[in-house]
Amino acid sequence: MEPLYLARESRVHRLSPEVKIAAVLLFTIVVVVTPREDLTAFAGYTLLIALVAGLARVPAGWLLKRATIELPFVLLAVVLPFTGHGERVDWLGLSLSVDGLYGAWNIFAKGTLGVLASLLLAATTSMRDLILGLDRLRCPTVITQIMTFMLRYIDVLIDDARRMRIARLSRGYDPRFLWQVKAFAVGVGALFLRSYERGERVYLAMLSRGYSGRMPSGSGSKAPAAEWVVSSALPVAAAGIAVAAAVLA
Amino acid sequence: MDDVQAMHIANGIINGPVSAIFIAIAMAGLAVCVWRAKLDLDDRLAPMAGLVAAFIFAVQMLNFQVLPGVSGHLLGGTLAVILVGPWVGALCVSTVLIVQALVFADGGLTALGLNITNMALIGTAAAYLLVALLLRVLPRSSRGLGATALIASVIGVVVAAMGFVAEFALGGTADLSITAVAATMAGTHTLIGIGEGLIAATTVVTVAKVRPDLVYALRAFRAPIRAKAAVA
Amino acid sequence: MTAALKITGLTFAYPDGREALHGVDLTLAPGERVALLGPNGAGKTTLVLHLNGILHGGAGRVEISGLPVTPGDRKAITEIRRRVGVVFQDPDDQLFMPTVAEDVAFGPANLGVRGDELDHRVTEALTAVGMLEHRDQIPHHLSFGQRRRVAVATVLAMRPEILVLDEPSSNLDPASRRELAEIIMSLPVTVLMVTHDLPYALELCPRSVILDAGRIVADAPTGELLADGDRMAAHRLELPFGFDPSAIHRR
């Protein structure tokens, strides 16, 4: 299962997963702690994202389309200018709260930048590499192990679910409302058992080949220092922008 | 404000300091879970944990129409605690949240602490305590098990939602009335909880009928089968 | 000479109380190819999972080239799982890595093999099953017969001493079936083949044993066993229509 992975040849793709995870994490932290009034800083961050997207050869359209995942939160933000308190401004005949406008901007800007950064990570790193990266970042084995099986099972579930859904649809039934949940759940129980038994066999086969809870890291080795330096450019640049914006303001 | 659609909190909804505190809380909670899970995670539980995680992942993709204009997705914490126990269960939910944040950009990375605290720690803890209580009180039948799953789901989901309300009260960046947020969250999530409960109950009852040996809660609280053989 | 496989008095019951093995004794000499026959539910798969210590807990003893299977001892169990290569019935259960080469590398990598040596193992194993040119493909894009051969390669890469094949010929078309037979015969390892495919057993294995109700109930040269109509019928084993084992000249 590689929902968002874009198989391309690029410098960003070639970076080790652990340095990319760390860079995105630090970048997001810088974005979140930036005061909402520092509009120039947010413009700078957007530029950085565009730069990385260019380096990674990820098309802007692809990014923007998938960024709509945060739409519910943007909608939450839309009401703020109307419900906010304090000083108000008039715009196109609407009375809007200044504080509410900043609140909305805050959610929109930070949410969007965070989503874009994560999307870039997902686009340039396969799921398996992400797990490897987390493992190298000292994520507990229990978690990476659950993740590994989760990936394997998602494929199994999707396969089984597709078959069951086709069978259900061909009988003219497509439950999607809460009160139809019972019928849906019955199918889900069966799906669960089927998938478990298949996954159990997969697991036994893995054990038989010497699996002991940790995926062998295979070809890749730990990220060289140079990669850490290169990838730190993103959060360092972001931090620079944040400081510069604060100083200018 | 009837668009509390995804329960995953995005970056920037809750302010930096509060997010940071909850990252610390989540990490401490997860550390305990990892430590306890290692004792639980035998070779039968490992693939089960993966399946539960995959399953939660899948059901979280389904958005149910709760009311016109309002939809919500399921959390899966109760299903996890019944099938794999509280420690591994919390890790399953966390794993899903981490993957969603990293790979689907669903839920902010800096909000991961908040999301894990609500859904993986608070929600599953509430669900597990209820499961532990109800399985002792209710009849030892599949109906009793189903009812346990249903009740624990509804309450677990609402408690998790209240975690968000508390965080919002502490560090919400948007100027909204807390009572309104609390009322919306509670209302929406009661309905989500019922949907979740029905799915959890049916799934657990189905599994318990065919493979009772796979249900952690039954092993822990009803334990009729003395396992003679071990799988490793 | 140390036996490649020595099972003595093996019993096992599943947690639900169902007894699966009832005192199994079986010895395989190094280099032997033996077919394990028996009706559904006889305990064949249960027996196979005991050979590498995945199932354990009953009475009895399993030894692989003199090394006892001791489930508690992680190090010994790793060595056992290197020595015993199990090829499962459904190749889709066995193959899960993104490319053929990575899947073949999974086993030896778990054993700590790295770098050039790992590469060499992968090439060697894929060459043995004639799948080298597919090394960079996605396993699920291969035909069923090819996937089964890759599944065999994933196990060969661990350089096992005993190859255990669970229903190797199931779902294979005649050509794939023959190709796989040629591969198996060319391997310098001890083979234990679980199968319902009696002609295949006759073709590949000079010796056959029948497992029924958790016990070994027959152990004889395959041709003799298949020709013994009464004994076959008693254990729900049937030859395909028109197949006469005595008419086949063993190679």
Side-chain angles (χ1 to χ4, degrees), chain C residues 75-154:
Chain C
K75 242 187 119 174
I77 247 351
T78 308
E79 173 58 16
I80 290 291
R81 287 178 187 166
R82 183 197 69 75
R83 290 186 187 187
V84 182
V86 182
V87 180
F88 287 83
Q89 186 174 356
D90 186 348
D92 293 343
D93 292 344
Q94 190 137 9
L95 305 176
F96 56 92
M97 299 291 268
T99 68
V100 168
E102 281 174 273
D103 221 311
V104 176
F106 177 79
N110 279 327
L111 300 174
V113 179
R114 294 283 183 277
D116 289 346
E117 169 65 12
L118 188 58
D119 248 22
H120 176 69
R121 292 268 192 118
V122 172
T123 309
E124 179 189 82
L126 284 173
T127 309
V129 299
M131 290 293 294
L132 191 58
E133 71 267 37
H134 300 282
R135 62 175 295 150
D136 294 319
Q137 270 178 275
I138 300 168
H140 294 103
H141 291 176
L142 301 172
S143 76
F144 192 87
Q146 289 175 321
R147 273 181 277 161
R148 170 138 315 138
R149 274 148 67 185
V150 173
V152 173
T154 64

Side-chain angles (χ1 to χ4, degrees), chain C residues 35-40 195-202 208-212 217-240 243-246:
Chain C
L36 178 63
L37 314 174
N40 288 332
T195 190
H196 287 297
D197 184 345
L198 302 177
Y200 213 51
L202 182 62
S208 288
V209 296
I210 298 177
L211 183 72
D212 196 358
V217 292
D219 184 344
T222 309
E224 236 172 73
L225 202 60
L226 298 197
D228 186 344
D230 294 340
R231 185 136 66 159
M232 295 279 285
H235 303 296
R236 294 183 56 81
L237 295 174
E238 274 179 29
L239 291 166
F243 182 81
D244 178 5
S246 58

